[in-house]
Every structure is written in C-alpha cells, then in structure tokens.
Amino acid sequence: MGPLGLICTAGIISALLVAASDLPHLNYGGQHQGILGEDFVDITPPSPFYGLKTFANLPNVNCLVGESAERDSYDIAILGAPFDTSVTGRPGARFGPAGIRTGSQRIGPDEAWSIYTGENILKSWAKIVDCGDVPMTVLDNRVALKQLDKAHTVVSGRKAHTKPEHRSPRILTLGGDHTTTLPALRSTYQRWGTVSVIHFDSHIDTWDSNVLGGGVSNYAGLNHGTFLHVAHEEGLIRNSSIHAGIRAPVMRAKEDVRNDRRCGFSMIKARDLDRVGINGVIAALKERVKDSLVYISVDIDVLDPAFAPATGTSEPGGWTTRELLTILDGLTGLKVVGADVVEVAPIYDNPGETTVLAAAEVAMSLLTLMVQTPVNTP
C-alpha cells in the first residue's frame, strides 16, 4: 500500500472512532449506558419458550395434593399419563405427554383464534389448566394404573370453576399407551355414568384378555389391546360405542369381531372414508352415539405413518391429519365429558416433529368440543 493509501485508511479509521465516540455504549455491569437505553430491554413479556412447558402455554396448577389443589378450581384439566409398560409393540409413549406439550408450544391463549370458527377456546367461559403428569411407577403396572385411577378420581372430584354446583371438571388425558384410557373411563363413570366411546384407532382394542396377554398371566391380560374389553366387562361403557379408522388385522378370523360387537362397538374402517366421505363419517359417528354422553379416545396411530410415525404399532393406510381434524371438528354438539390423545412415542418422530404437532392439534380439537358444549353433572 502506497503513502496515499495509508493516508486514506488512517482517515477512515479516524472518522469511525469519532462517530463511535458520539454513540452511547452498551451497559455491562452498570458501567456504561446501553445503545437503546437500559430501560428498553424487557424480560417480562410472555414467550412460548419461557418458563415451565405446559400445554398451549396454559397455567400450571397442582391438581393432586396440597393446599393449592384444594383451593384452585378449573373447568377442564389437562392431565399427563406417562405410562407405556402395557404395549405389545414399540415402547416410548411414557414420553408422550412431554412430546405433545412440545408440539403445542406454538399455541398460546393470546394467539389461539381459529381461522375456521373465529373462536378462541383458551379465552372462553371455561378455565382450562395443565395439571402436569401423574406420578406413576415404571416398575409395576398394577400400582401405576391404581395411581392413575386415584389421580383421575381426585382431579374430577374438584369443584368446577364455572357453575360448581352443577358441574364436575372434565379431563383431557395426554398419554401414555392406550391402557391409560381405562382409568379415565372409570373416573368418567363415577361422575357421569356410562358413556358412548368414540374410539379413533387403527386397532379394535377390544381383544379378550384371555386371547391377548391373559395366556401369560392375569397381570398381562390388561394391556393397550384389551382395555376396551375390560371397560365393557366393568360396565363403564354403553352399547352405542364406535370405532373409527380401523384397518389393522385381527388375531382370530371371526371371534375377535364378534367379541367387539358384544362389547358394544360398531366400526368405521379406514377405507370407508373413500366411499362415504368425511361428511358420511361424521354423520355415522353422530348417529351411533345420538344424545348420550360421549368419551372420545384418539390413538395417534389412526393417522397414516406418513403423518404420525412416532407411535408404537403403526399401520399403513390411515387417515391424513387434515381428515382427522375435520372429522373431529364436525362432532360439534356432542356432549363430550372426557377425552384423550394417546400412543405418542416421540423418540420415533422426525426432526420436524410431525407426530407431536399433529397430536397437539388433535388435543385442541378435543378441547374445542368440550368448550362448545358445556355439560352438567347428572
């Protein structure tokens, strides 16, 4: 570089230093004034990535034990059931509640206005809270399910926030393998009586306990493929129940379907959607349950593995996420007294978190049905 270049460079550096001297400096340790002023930075606004992770950034409430559990009231409780030791396929659903909450991080009470309905269920008459996960042992299924039984009984036994003299809180369970639906149905029966079950799944889950697991032990006879059979035997569900999205093979040529009917279920197979369309499926579901109280259980494997790979017993040929959401949203007007989203095993998801995003949106649709139709306790 020649003399002229050095002079030009020196001049530029000098000009920059003079300009910098006129700027306020960042405040590190209180020694300097910030460029935008020390009062500009605000660490108080809500953020989907701040604090405890709850479903849709809803308030976290201790619903189980202690003074706060007795004091705080709510209309709908979200309850995690981290349990997966009754599966016949891949484990991992114990991490489902945390995964579904992760999938809901983009949702918040201030940004939940539906583009389809114009409603914001998180800013409605209903106080919705996240009760966290139930403490469940991973070492003994019998004890774990009794823990879940008790948790459901306690949470549903609180007074509702709105019209407490007429209502019990309703529960949306985040599973967990599908066995966790049985304690939910027991709790629902205690508060509401028998219910019609709308069961979205690729499997029937009404296998006789002696056929699936019972040949090993009574302990093994209660699992994620027999819980609806057990619910029928316990008198928890009505003979107006229905499956939707079924496509998995059965274990016995005729006996399994015959037992399924005995348990009170009719069936919409996955490919029936191609024949009758979404409106036909919605109409069939509503016609089956009529005006009865309803429990909706959604096994995420009702979706095709292309849309929900993160589950334990995937079956090709399922519904799309959009189809399922449209069907759920079409069930408006039903008296839904309980619901769940189960069998989400995040370890098998892809980097885009396809399954947990879908599961979180399914949960929002279930909450919407509850909010749209308040139900008084009998």
Side-chain angles (χ1 to χ4, degrees):
M1 183 181 295
L4 183 59
L6 289 172
I7 292 172
C8 290
T9 301
I12 293 171
I13 293 173
S14 177
L16 289 173
L17 290 173
V18 170
S21 67
D22 293 333
L23 291 174
H25 296 284
L26 292 174
N27 185 350
Y28 295 110
Q31 297 177 4
H32 303 285
Q33 177 67 24
I35 290 177
L36 298 174
E38 62 181 10
D39 294 331
F40 175 79
V41 178
D42 187 356
I43 61 172
T44 61
S47 164
F49 310 106
Y50 166 77
L52 183 68
K53 186 181 294 183
T54 62
F55 182 84
N57 294 285
L58 288 166
N60 172 249
V61 172
N62 170 21
C63 306
L64 298 179
V65 295
E67 185 177 328
S68 62
E70 298 287 345
R71 180 185 65 247
D72 294 328
S73 60
Y74 40 83
D75 296 301
I76 301 174
I78 296 167
L79 191 64
F83 175 86
D84 65 1
T85 47
S86 286
V87 298
T88 56
R90 300 181 295 192
R94 72 182 64 178
F95 303 105
I100 297 171
R101 290 188 180 100
T102 296
S104 75
Q105 261 191 302
R106 73 195 192 285
I107 307 168
D110 293 328
E111 302 90 20
W113 298 94
S114 170
I115 196 68
Y116 298 105
T117 66
E119 299 174 342
N120 183 346
I121 62 163
L122 305 184
K123 283 183 174 288
S124 67
W125 65 266
K127 181 180 178 182
I128 308 175
V129 302
D130 190 333
C131 296
D133 290 352
V134 177
M136 301 177 69
T137 180
V138 298
L139 300 175
D140 191 314
N141 288 4
R142 292 165 294 188
V143 174
L145 292 174
K146 286 179 180 179
Q147 290 172 316
L148 189 55
D149 280 336
K150 185 172 183 179
H152 270 280
T153 299
V154 169
V155 172
S156 65
R158 306 293 185 198
K159 288 186 176 181
H161 182 73
T162 307
K163 295 187 178 181
E165 68 277 14
H166 298 301
R167 296 176 185 164
S168 295
R170 291 176 283 177
I171 300 174
L172 171 63
T173 305
L174 308 180
D177 79 46
H178 220 150
T179 317
T180 59
T181 298
L182 182 60
L185 289 172
R186 288 169 174 164
S187 167
T188 303
Y189 177 79
Q190 289 176 349
R191 306 298 172 197
W192 309 90
T194 56
V195 294
S196 300
V197 175
I198 298 179
H199 174 230
F200 291 90
D201 204 316
S202 62
H203 311 86
I204 57 174
D205 291 352
T206 53
W207 277 283
D208 190 314
S209 298
N210 293 320
V211 174
L212 183 61
V216 178
S217 67
N218 290 335
Y219 175 96
L222 174 55
N223 55 65
H224 73 160
T226 64
F227 71 94
L228 286 174
H229 172 90
V230 175
H232 171 264
E233 295 298 297
E234 293 184 4
L236 309 178
I237 60 179
R238 299 169 61 93
N239 288 330
S240 50
S241 298
I242 185 168
H243 306 294
I246 301 297
R247 60 190 183 277
V250 292
M251 299 172 65
R252 300 177 296 174
K254 297 181 179 179
E255 290 84 351
D256 289 341
V257 174
R258 185 181 299 123
N259 184 67
D260 187 68
R261 289 195 294 266
R262 188 183 69 83
C263 290
F265 282 86
S266 63
M267 188 185 305
I268 298 173
K269 301 180 183 71
R271 296 183 191 178
D272 290 341
L273 180 65
D274 302 324
R275 180 173 54 85
V276 303
I278 285 177
N279 288 335
V281 171
I282 294 170
L285 293 173
K286 286 187 169 183
E287 173 62 24
R288 177 66 174 175
V289 302
K290 291 185 166 61
D291 194 43
S292 63
L293 299 178
V294 174
Y295 186 98
I296 300 180
S297 182
V298 180
D299 185 327
I300 204 64
D301 74 16
V302 70
L303 298 179
D304 189 87
F307 301 93
T311 190
T313 47
S314 295
E315 298 287 348
W319 291 344
T320 70
T321 306
R322 187 185 66 255
E323 289 166 345
L324 176 60
L325 293 174
T326 302
I327 292 168
L328 286 172
D329 292 348
L331 299 179
T332 181
L334 295 185
K335 294 183 286 189
V336 180
V337 295
D340 61 57
V341 187
V342 298
E343 296 285 356
V344 176
I347 188 63
Y348 311 114
D349 220 349
N350 53 49
E353 300 179 326
T354 305
T355 311
V356 297
L357 287 169
E361 203 63 31
V362 166
M364 285 293 291
S365 288
L366 295 172
L367 289 172
T368 298
L369 295 175
M370 291 185 181
V371 170
Q372 287 175 337
T373 307
V375 185
N376 291 339
T377 306

